[in-house]
Amino acid sequence: MSTLMNHQYRLAARPLGLPKDSDWQYGSEPVRELQDGEILVKVLYLSLDPAMRGWMNDSKSYIRPVDLGAVMRAGGIGRVIASKSPKFAEGDIVSGGVGVQEYWIGAADDKHGSFFKIDARLATLPAWLNALGMPGMTAYFGLLDVGQPKAGETVLVSGAAGAVGQTVGQVAKQLGCRVVGIAGGPDKCKFVVEELGFDACIDYKNGSVKDGLKQHCPQGVDVYFDNVGGDILDVVLTRINMKARIVICGAISQYNNTTPVKGPANYLSLLVNRARMEGIVVFDYAPRYPEAVRQIGQWMAQGAFKSREDVVQGLENFPQALLMLFEGKNFGKLVLQVAPE
Ligand code: NAP
């Protein structure tokens, strides 16, 4: 009989607005015995993502909502500590859908877990949840496949210092674009320009985005990679170029609304400029992830690409840590460390 206890966060209620402590149920249960074909994963790091807020709603989306009473869905990285599967050996470091808990147990080829081994020599484990993980894949394929930037074009990205934004900007720089970020506060803007090599950054919390666009995108915007939606999207629509591409990646400014989502009032600019807006869901690109990991990994190895994470400690801090995303308190990809490496 196993003596391991597994602490978990389950979804207790569907939130209205920002998630509250009472929307979660923190509990524990013993880890059951391993069956043939299964693996037991000790969770080391959890990826905290804005999308988690959407998964808590009972509404139709690109993925099923988390059921009430179920362990909260989360991607993460862990160590295989027991295996009865030929696919994984004890000691393997794996990435997959572990959930907000200390241990994941199940079939190695479980479609919810869908684990793959990661190479810890290539990058740190948190970076495997960032530039080499889901946000990096989102940025890479969203920008290249949907945004289709060309050298010399102006690429604008909101949420620029965050997980997706930092990779969008760095990939666009590699392609020879002029890259402008939008981020909240002087420290994030400084990081984006001085550390990541963006050409400029607009601090939307301390100035007008409209003025910033006039100053930093004098030739207009060819590609806008939108992570935030709302008012910023509306202003950007007034500065797009002919045949501009707007990548709808997310709209974090709208996720905790208790009123209807604010759609773009200035959408007729798409008509005037023969421009388009197109959504992206990263999971559609799963078969091509190795291609992006290879390319970004190569840039990282050359010292030409950075991956910044904000690591918060302790599973018990999950509810408060998640809120950091919606308050702009994370500086880089938000990761929760559940156990020491
Ligand atoms: P992130 O940027 O690391 O963190 C969220 C950031 O959003 C915050 O740090 C904050 O930065 C900004 N923010 C929060 N509230 C805001 C508001 N009201 N207005 C403007 N900015 C606000 O998060 P991420 O993981 O990279 O995700 C970025 C976006 O991509 C999200 O919308 C997410 O849902 C989306 N996404 C989509 C896919 C997909 O497949 N479509 C996959 C992954 C992520 P500041 O301090 O700069 O305000």
Side-chain angles (χ1 to χ4, degrees):
M1 190 60 194
S2 167
T3 51
L4 285 176
M5 286 301 283
N6 183 20
H7 290 86
Q8 307 160 315
Y9 273 97
R10 293 175 184 273
L11 184 63
R14 302 214 179 273
L16 199 67
L18 277 174
K20 307 178 292 299
D21 284 353
S22 56
D23 296 328
W24 302 111
Q25 184 205 337
Y26 185 60
S28 66
E29 60 184 37
V31 175
R32 64 170 172 77
E33 291 297 324
L34 201 62
Q35 309 291 315
D36 279 344
E38 290 188 335
I39 54 173
L40 174 61
V41 177
K42 182 179 168 71
V43 177
L44 303 176
Y45 295 99
L46 288 176
S47 175
L48 301 196
D49 295 291
M52 292 168 117
R53 177 63 189 83
W55 303 339
M56 298 168 82
N57 293 337
D58 188 15
S59 52
K60 192 168 175 288
S61 187
Y62 58 91
I63 194 169
R64 266 182 62 78
V66 175
D67 290 330
L68 286 177
V71 174
M72 181 60 192
R73 181 187 294 140
I77 285 177
R79 178 178 290 109
V80 176
I81 56 169
S83 175
K84 287 191 175 178
S85 156
K87 272 182 79 176
F88 295 100
E90 216 179 291
D92 281 349
I93 302 291
V94 293
S95 181
V98 291
V100 183
Q101 55 188 346
E102 292 173 305
Y103 297 95
W104 184 92
I105 188 168
D109 50 7
D110 181 298
K111 68 178 175 3
H112 301 295
S114 61
F115 291 97
F116 60 94
K117 278 184 224 175
I118 61 172
D119 182 354
R121 291 164 307 178
L122 188 58
T124 64
L125 299 189
W128 275 100
L129 293 176
N130 187 22
L132 296 178
M134 187 277 287
M137 303 301 104
T138 308
Y140 188 88
F141 292 109
L143 181 68
L144 297 185
D145 219 53
V146 183
Q148 299 178 4
K150 295 181 243 345
E153 287 191 327
T154 298
V155 173
L156 176 71
V157 55
S158 50
V164 174
Q166 56 180 265
T167 290
V168 168
Q170 292 183 91
V171 172
K173 278 311 293 178
Q174 291 288 342
L175 299 177
C177 298
R178 174 173 176 77
V179 179
V180 178
I182 302 177
D187 292 346
K188 288 187 179 181
C189 282
K190 188 164 182 265
F191 162 72
V192 155
V193 174
E194 292 182 9
E195 299 281 326
L196 303 183
F198 286 34
D199 296 285
C201 186
I202 300 166
D203 176 358
Y204 78 97
K205 286 189 172 162
N206 293 292
S208 133
V209 175
K210 192 173 171 198
D211 292 347
L213 291 174
K214 276 190 193 148
Q215 183 185 348
H216 298 299
C217 306
Q219 311 294 329
V221 174
D222 298 296
V223 176
Y224 175 46
F225 195 105
D226 187 17
N227 286 316
V228 307
D231 294 334
I232 293 179
L233 170 59
D234 247 337
V235 178
V236 174
L237 276 166
T238 67
R239 302 290 302 173
I240 59 172
N241 286 338
M242 199 64 85
K243 289 284 178 189
R245 287 82 68 197
I246 298 181
V247 185
I248 302 296
C249 174
I252 195 168
S253 72
Q254 306 296 305
Y255 293 173
N256 291 292
N257 280 7
T258 51
T259 51
V261 166
K262 182 185 182 306
N266 296 331
Y267 82 97
L268 286 179
S269 175
L270 299 173
L271 182 159
V272 173
N273 292 295
R274 290 76 151 175
R276 64 178 166 83
M277 282 170 69
E278 188 176 332
I280 183 237
V281 172
V282 63
F283 305 124
D284 296 347
Y285 293 91
R288 292 178 58 194
Y289 289 172
E291 174 189 328
V293 167
R294 215 169 20 249
Q295 177 61 82
I296 296 172
Q298 199 179 324
W299 286 327
M300 284 172 99
Q302 292 164 351
F305 201 99
K306 293 188 177 157
S307 180
R308 176 175 178 145
E309 298 83 33
D310 191 341
V311 182
V312 175
Q313 302 294 327
L315 183 72
E316 66 285 2
N317 293 319
F318 165 71
Q320 288 311 312
L322 182 64
L323 296 180
M324 290 169 68
L325 292 167
F326 306 108
E327 295 161 348
K329 288 191 179 153
N330 62 307
F331 197 155
K333 162 70 194 155
L334 186 60
V335 172
L336 189 67
Q337 183 160 21
V338 174
E341 288 185 30

